Amino acid sequence: MKFKYVGKSIPRPDAVNKATGKVRFLDDIRIPGMLHAAFLRPEYAHAKILSIDTSGAETMPGVRKVVTGKDISFRYGDNIMDRIPLAINKVRYIGEPVAAVVAETLHQARQAVKKIKAEYEPLPVYVDARDALKEGAALIHEESGEFDHLPGLEPVAGTNIANRYVLEKGDVEKGFGEADVILEGEFNYPFGSCAALEPHGSVAWFHEDGSIETWSSSICPFIVREDLARVYGLPISKVRVHIPEVGGCFGYKSDVTIEQTVAYVASFVPGHPVKWVATRKEDLLSTLIGHGIRTIMKIGAKKDGTLTAMKTTLLHSTGAAVDTGIHVLIASTHNSTGAYEFPNCYLEGISVYTNTPPVGAYRGYGHQESQFATERMMDLLARKLEMDPFELREKNYLGPGKFTSLGEKLWKTNGDVKKCAGIVREIVFSKPKAVNEDDKYYYGRGFAALMKSPKGAPFSSKGCYLKFNVDGSVTINMGGAEVGQGLRTVVSQVAAEVLKIAPERISVYTEIDTQFSPWEWQTIGSMFTIQGGRAVIRAAEKAIDKLKGIASQALRVDVDMLEYGGDYIFLRSDPSVRVSVPDVARGYTYDDGVTIGEVVQTTADARLPRYSNPDKKGMGTMGVTYTFGAQACEIRIEKETGKIFIDHFVSCFDVGRVINPKQIRGQVAGGVMMAIGATLYEELKFKEDGKAVNPHFSKYGFPTIKEAPGKQTIEFVETPGEIGPFGARGIGEHPVIGVAPSILNAIYDATGIDFYDIPITEDKMKKALAEKKD
Amino acid sequence: MSQRVTFTVNGYERTVELEGWERLIDVLRETLSLTGTKRGCDDASCGACVVVIDGEAKKSCVYPAKKIDGKEVLTIEGMADGMTLHPIQQALIDSGAVQCGYCIPGIVMELYALFNKKPDASEEEVVDALSLHLCRCTGYEAILEGALLARERMAAASVK
Ligand code: FES
Ligand code: FES
């Protein structure tokens, strides 16, 4: 198939306005009469609130209202209703909002917060799931077990267990019985933050007519809308959510996070918009954090490398609310089999309440945490079997006719992990290493394969509204949040290809407004190109049908005799018999003014076909779209300092179809960098008492250009998929998945040292090198 | 105690009243509604807020507004000439460095100060300047490419 616009590096439609600083992010919103909120955060990570004295704050200049949680009578949550907008009787994590001040300026609000006096009675603090699970541990939520939740979730009342997900495939004991070699390992992926450059924020406005209007730097406007409507007893249509430009998301601006809190506070000053934007510290501690997943893995294999069984237990320190984290762990658990077929599995994921900020989505959605274990284990297993690790992997890769842990059969159209692995291997490993070490450095190479399933929901549709203008140009409106990933470009390229007009003639929506935007579930799971692209194709094809229908009347010919060519609709047998698109774009007008036909505007949507809820064994279909890939690196470790240099990082994914080469390269390069951060530098640390150690960028370990790989090689395989436009598959999250294991495998290759947890900071590496010497 | 400062922003003279606590970013964003300058952190570590003061790239989030009196400030809003973008902006777009775009204003201003002082800045000097800026989206590859492209184009056209 030859493409005119797909596969070209068409410039982003939003680049100019971003480069001039003129796009509007949440904090750039200015509304006449707008007030500002600031929050009091607790001194303890787990404590009873004895009293809150707000009197000092109330008399501060500019203060309109001081709000506490004492009268709150509702809970919220997308999956399990364990969230509250402000602390009620207790605080459960260090970033929790305890009280809020609404004032005329932000400065006034912040000054007044300092005058609130709160008294607490400290309770035992659990930062790690293993401690929260101990016999006799204090309950973080006494009411756990009573919260409303989606079907299939299983909180264990009287414990800190918020959910247990178990997947059983085949017979795991039989599988281990057949194994010649059994290997066990424990791996930890600690807390981190998505840390988009733009901190999360929201504006909420309770109008006097009873409606609510809000703005949020969220990727889930429709979920926010539904949740606010439920809480305030309004028809969904009376809540209006705007999404301005979003300055990066990477997961943590999904679901309902801070919006309910800002709305609750704003409900006390009806008639006034109230704005709150997180400080960086609040963004790190009071929105959603990532990871916190410990993977205990056991693999059985035959002498020849055939995998027979996998047992994993994932312990998730999900934080003081597990609502958004529950599905991260479920995804992490069933994807712990990685890019391999295990005939027998027992995979268990336990979501545990801890006194840490709630964990939510983080680019990769659980995959990098458990596949960090899987890919380290493959190298360790190969060593134990005295087998080439590539050969071991090759023997067990998923592919056509094989079954995932979920019991989903794979087809050729699901992509080719072997091919990706082969390409990466050829680039990095085709020649023997030049040197193992010299005076200054150890040199190493490491590899990891990977797989990602989508994360959907049975109803996870994306909608598209497409309108032909009277000059033949096209306007497209959708509900997908542009967070930097470049979905606007993809929409215009896909539409241009189908409509046979230049992308410059297609304008794609900028901000989202639930009052006008077509419905979309939420922009998550690397699914916009797949589903959104399909919705665009459907809407475009409908529009072409409409144009042809009108043209058939105008030209007085059967519709199936006509062709659509972008500028004209013409008679196949005689293209000179034609009518222009502008002439039929709002119906066709005869010379006497009589008009027939209709305005050419269409809607369509698309979801993942046959996506299902898990059955009793934890199995089900994920909607037929997976993306496979492989990653490898060449590293250098400075002997004196322990500093690790990534000289070359290589990624290859079977993306089905590259829509925009420059954009997709940017996505992968950025994802790899983000995961290098997690692997070598970043960790959101909490002391035993639950207080944050490093909630600022200068201490968090966010990598700069100096930590970027010397070179990134990025390749793509294009085995067309079934669902996405022109065969395209998702890629947004995948680049983070194989980074940690490939680097840790390379560290072993360089030094003979095995690590099981990250980040491998300079200090940690230096210490390990010193210990090795002794 | 209020205080008054007079300075120029993007060539226009401005006089603002201060309470005293304000940083330059507060004046730019809140008083003057120049929201192109971004805030990304609370400890002067992200570079999103960088503007050019008397030719030097400065973090406006820590620059006391009191000290701006008599100075010349350039912000992202002053970079394009009508419909023509500054070559730094154009180069960052062309290299694919603009994803979410939140880090871009600060980076444009940093490079503007650098290339005006040193049109032939070495790659190492460019990297040093860029290392004061955090970007979560790009992995920095396209940003460096764009910066070098801008240097080249500016040298060719000897733009200021
Ligand atoms: S806002 Fe981050 S350095 Fe100024
Ligand atoms: S483009 Fe998003 S932070 Fe740099």
Side-chain angles (χ1 to χ4, degrees):
Chain A
M1 196 170 173
K2 276 213 131 178
F3 297 106
K4 197 155 177 205
Y5 305 112
V6 163
K8 308 256 157 45
S9 291
I10 307 273
R12 298 178 66 108
D14 53 13
V16 170
N17 291 342
K18 285 178 173 178
T20 56
K22 300 287 170 63
V23 291
R24 194 170 66 146
F25 294 95
L26 192 279
D27 199 15
D28 304 334
I29 293 170
R30 271 116 184 91
I31 304 170
M34 188 162 76
L35 303 174
H36 300 263
F39 289 91
L40 177 74
R41 312 279 172 187
E43 290 152 48
Y44 300 94
H46 196 193
K48 259 189 211 151
I49 300 172
L50 298 178
S51 65
I52 304 175
D53 178 1
T54 58
S55 56
E58 275 152 19
T59 54
M60 288 288 284
V63 171
R64 296 288 183 88
K65 196 82 200 172
V66 184
V67 182
T68 67
K70 66 178 185 334
D71 298 321
I72 293 171
S73 58
F74 67 91
R75 305 188 147 272
Y76 68 96
D78 224 9
N79 303 294
I80 174 160
M81 294 221 187
D82 61 3
R83 310 208 62 181
I84 39 177
L86 285 170
I88 303 177
N89 306 313
K90 239 179 110 158
V91 292
R92 296 181 173 85
Y93 68 101
I94 205 71
E96 190 164 7
V98 172
V101 172
V102 180
E104 282 161 24
T105 70
L106 179 59
H107 184 68
Q108 288 169 335
R110 287 191 177 153
Q111 294 303 109
V113 162
K114 293 183 191 157
K115 304 285 179 191
I116 303 176
K117 291 194 194 103
E119 285 184 333
Y120 303 94
E121 181 186 312
L123 294 165
V125 170
Y126 310 109
V127 166
D128 189 304
R130 291 171 299 177
D131 296 321
L133 285 175
K134 283 192 181 137
E135 272 285 312
L139 294 184
I140 293 172
H141 287 276
E142 291 77 3
E143 323 85 316
S144 178
E146 292 164 26
F147 303 143
D148 287 342
H149 56 73
L150 291 180
L153 302 179
E154 289 179 28
V156 183
T159 74
N160 284 317
I161 297 177
N163 186 47
R164 234 182 115 236
Y165 165 79
V166 176
L167 182 148
E168 287 182 81
K169 177 189 178 193
D171 179 343
V172 79
E173 289 314 321
K174 191 175 131 262
F176 282 118
E178 289 165 3
D180 298 313
V181 167
I182 291 176
L183 185 72
E184 293 181 66
E186 185 170 331
F187 302 84
N188 191 40
Y189 212 109
F191 293 127
S193 172
C194 292
L197 249 280
E198 180 209 21
H200 206 352
S202 178
V203 177
W205 189 356
F206 282 66
H207 291 294
E208 290 88 339
D209 67 1
S211 65
I212 304 174
E213 189 169 10
T214 82
W215 289 253
S216 173
S217 46
S218 160
I219 57 172
C220 311
F222 293 93
I223 291 182
V224 170
R225 181 180 68 146
E226 286 162 28
D227 212 47
L228 287 173
R230 181 187 57 78
V231 165
Y232 293 97
L234 294 172
I236 290 171
S237 59
K238 294 282 183 207
V239 180
R240 180 176 177 190
V241 181
H242 306 255
I243 309 294
E245 205 63 39
V246 180
C249 172
F250 314 106
Y252 74 152
K253 294 171 178 171
S254 64
D255 296 295
V256 181
T257 56
I258 48 125
E259 296 82 4
Q260 284 285 9
T261 300
V262 179
Y264 185 70
V265 172
S267 71
F268 286 84
V269 284
H272 297 276
V274 176
K275 176 156 90 173
W276 174 78
V277 178
T279 62
R280 181 52 57 182
K281 185 178 177 185
E282 287 175 316
D283 195 63
L284 290 171
L285 299 179
S286 306
T287 63
L288 294 173
I289 64 172
H291 321 311
I293 296 178
R294 179 173 292 276
T295 304
I296 301 152
M297 185 173 276
K298 181 172 157 187
I299 293 180
K302 293 198 177 146
K303 270 203 208 82
D304 69 353
T306 308
L307 300 172
T308 61
M310 173 183 271
K311 182 170 188 290
T312 47
T313 305
L314 272 67
L315 291 181
H316 197 191
S317 307
T318 324
V322 304
D323 169 43
T324 53
I326 245 171
H327 284 290
V328 177
L329 191 70
I330 293 174
S332 196
T333 306
H334 70 69
N335 286 300
S336 61
T337 45
Y340 310 99
E341 186 180 52
F342 285 86
N344 304 293
C345 303
Y346 184 91
L347 314 175
E348 179 187 28
I350 306 175
S351 301
V352 184
Y353 286 116
T354 48
N355 296 114
T356 44
V359 170
Y362 180 113
R363 187 183 207 167
Y365 209 74
H367 290 70
Q368 68 268 51
E369 294 91 334
S370 61
Q371 291 184 32
F372 164 48
T374 322
E375 287 302 320
R376 286 289 290 128
M377 289 288 276
M378 293 313 274
D379 265 31
L380 293 162
L381 182 64
R383 231 185 282 159
K384 196 160 179 179
L385 289 165
E386 294 179 4
M387 202 175 163
D388 174 54
F390 290 106
E391 200 189 317
L392 170 64
R393 288 180 168 97
E394 185 100 1
K395 228 182 160 68
N396 296 287
Y397 279 135
L398 284 165
K402 307 256 177 167
F403 289 86
T404 68
S405 66
L406 289 164
E408 193 160 21
K409 186 174 171 183
L410 294 180
W411 303 85
K412 185 168 186 292
T413 48
N414 289 120
D416 195 338
V417 64
K418 271 188 196 165
K419 208 165 170 183
C420 295
I423 289 170
V424 168
R425 183 179 176 183
E426 176 64 27
I427 295 169
V428 176
F429 299 88
S430 57
K431 289 194 209 96
K433 252 199 290 179
V435 272
N436 284 317
E437 64 175 296
D438 55 27
D439 289 353
K440 273 192 90 176
Y441 301 106
Y442 296 108
Y443 296 84
R445 306 183 296 196
F447 174 90
L450 61 98
M451 173 275 269
K452 190 180 177 297
S453 70
K455 172 63 208 141
F459 47 82
S460 62
S461 263
K462 300 192 188 301
C464 176
Y465 166 76
L466 187 151
K467 155 172 83 186
F468 261 91
N469 302 306
V470 72
D471 62 353
S473 67
V474 167
T475 305
I476 295 179
N477 194 8
M478 298 181 76
E482 172 65 70
V483 295
Q485 77 278 53
L487 61 78
R488 291 177 188 136
T489 331
V490 169
V491 169
S492 72
Q493 283 180 263
V494 170
E497 196 66 51
V498 181
L499 296 173
K500 302 181 183 174
I501 59 175
E504 298 79 58
R505 290 174 66 196
I506 298 171
S507 98
V508 180
Y509 68 104
T510 53
E511 305 190 353
I512 301 173
D513 178 343
T514 56
Q515 178 167 280
F516 309 113
S517 302
W519 190 80
E520 156 148 349
W521 177 49
Q522 46 181 340
T523 315
I524 64 158
S526 309
M527 289 186 297
F528 188 86
T529 295
I530 308 172
Q531 288 176 270
R534 170 137 307 273
V536 170
I537 291 179
R538 286 179 172 163
E541 284 174 349
K542 278 190 189 174
I544 292 171
D545 285 348
K546 279 197 183 184
L547 290 167
K548 279 188 184 170
I550 302 163
S552 82
Q553 293 183 62
L555 298 173
R556 290 173 295 172
V557 58
D558 290 336
V559 75
D560 59 353
M561 298 285 117
L562 292 174
E563 284 293 328
Y564 166 81
D567 292 324
Y568 294 95
I569 297 103
F570 54 86
L571 195 58
R572 195 175 303 118
S573 55
D574 180 2
S576 71
V577 180
R578 65 184 196 179
V579 60
S580 76
V581 168
D583 282 347
V584 288
R586 55 182 179 202
Y588 179 77
T589 305
Y590 291 95
D591 290 345
D592 59 4
V594 173
T595 300
I596 52 132
E598 60 184 309
V599 175
V600 179
Q601 49 191 350
T602 59
T603 62
D605 74 329
R607 69 173 69 87
L608 294 176
R610 294 190 56 72
Y611 184 97
S612 72
N613 289 326
D615 64 14
K616 286 208 171 62
K617 288 193 164 255
M619 295 163 102
T621 54
M622 292 302 283
V624 231
T625 175
Y626 288 82
T627 304
F628 290 91
Q631 295 179 301
C633 59
E634 297 175 80
I635 67 164
R636 200 164 23 108
I637 304 173
E638 194 168 48
K639 291 181 168 177
E640 200 188 318
T641 60
K643 190 167 168 49
I644 298 169
F645 298 87
I646 314 285
D647 289 327
H648 188 195
F649 200 95
V650 182
S651 305
C652 180
F653 302 96
D654 190 345
V655 294
R657 174 77 59 206
V658 172
I659 305 276
N660 186 311
K662 190 173 263 175
Q663 274 196 190
I664 200 169
R665 184 180 170 93
Q667 274 285 69
V668 174
V672 166
M673 185 74 239
M674 192 166 171
I676 288 175
T679 307
L680 300 180
Y681 309 104
E682 294 177 36
E683 180 180 358
L684 196 53
K685 290 190 212 147
F686 297 92
K687 288 190 270 192
E688 254 175 49
D689 64 5
K691 289 189 183 151
V693 176
N694 58 346
H696 298 284
F697 269 166
S698 63
K699 303 210 178 84
Y700 170 68
F702 195 123
T704 73
I705 191 170
K706 296 208 167 165
E707 283 75 52
K711 178 180 165 197
Q712 285 207 46
T713 301
I714 298 168
E715 300 283 338
F716 299 101
V717 169
E718 296 180 272
T719 313
E722 275 297 337
I723 308 165
F726 312 107
R729 270 188 284 276
I731 187 63
E733 299 171 272
H734 309 68
V736 305
I737 300 172
V739 175
S742 69
I743 294 176
L744 268 65
N745 289 343
I747 293 175
Y748 175 82
D749 182 50
T751 64
I753 299 171
D754 277 310
F755 285 102
Y756 301 87
D757 51 9
I758 52 172
I760 312 301
T761 57
E762 209 171 308
D763 278 357
K764 198 155 150 191
M765 191 68 237
K766 189 176 172 184
K767 238 171 107 195
L769 288 172
E771 275 165 22
K772 196 191 149 210
K773 262 199 196 136
D774 296 342
Chain B
M1 256 183 300
S2 84
Q3 185 182 338
R4 176 181 291 223
V5 285
T6 299
F7 59 110
T8 70
V9 186
N10 303 328
Y12 297 101
E13 192 177 287
R14 299 284 179 227
T15 298
V16 297
E17 297 283 334
L18 300 175
E19 286 179 24
W21 55 269
E22 297 90 342
R23 305 283 140 167
L24 180 58
I25 193 172
D26 301 306
V27 172
L28 293 174
R29 287 184 52 86
E30 309 310 326
T31 317
L32 302 176
S33 281
L34 293 167
T35 54
T37 299
K38 298 297 170 212
R39 192 195 298 272
C41 71
D42 46 20
D43 63 347
S45 55
C46 78
C49 64
V50 165
V51 298
V52 175
I53 303 174
D54 288 350
E56 300 286 331
K58 295 276 182 206
K59 289 172 175 162
S60 64
C61 69
V62 282
Y63 195 95
K66 289 187 266 201
K67 285 174 56 186
I68 205 65
D69 196 56
K71 301 227 160 37
E72 225 173 82
V73 181
L74 269 173
T75 70
I76 190 69
E77 287 89 348
M79 285 296 103
D81 178 10
M83 294 294 284
T84 311
L85 299 188
H86 190 277
I88 296 170
Q89 293 171 310
Q90 193 58 53
L92 289 170
I93 293 173
D94 295 345
S95 69
V98 181
Q99 288 194 23
C100 82
Y102 202 78
C103 66
I104 296 297
I107 288 174
V108 169
M109 301 320 291
E110 184 79 45
L111 293 173
Y112 179 87
L114 176 67
F115 293 147
N116 270 289
K117 274 192 292 186
K118 235 183 153 188
D120 57 348
S122 67
E123 181 165 335
E124 210 185 322
E125 286 167 313
V126 173
V127 168
D128 278 343
L130 291 176
S131 72
L132 305 171
H133 294 261
L134 301 181
C135 171
R136 197 53 148 179
C137 300
T138 61
Y140 302 108
E141 168 182 284
I143 293 178
L144 178 59
E145 199 185 303
L148 299 177
L149 182 62
R151 181 186 66 181
E152 195 182 299
R153 287 181 183 168
M154 286 170 74
S158 44
V159 197
K160 278 275 168 176

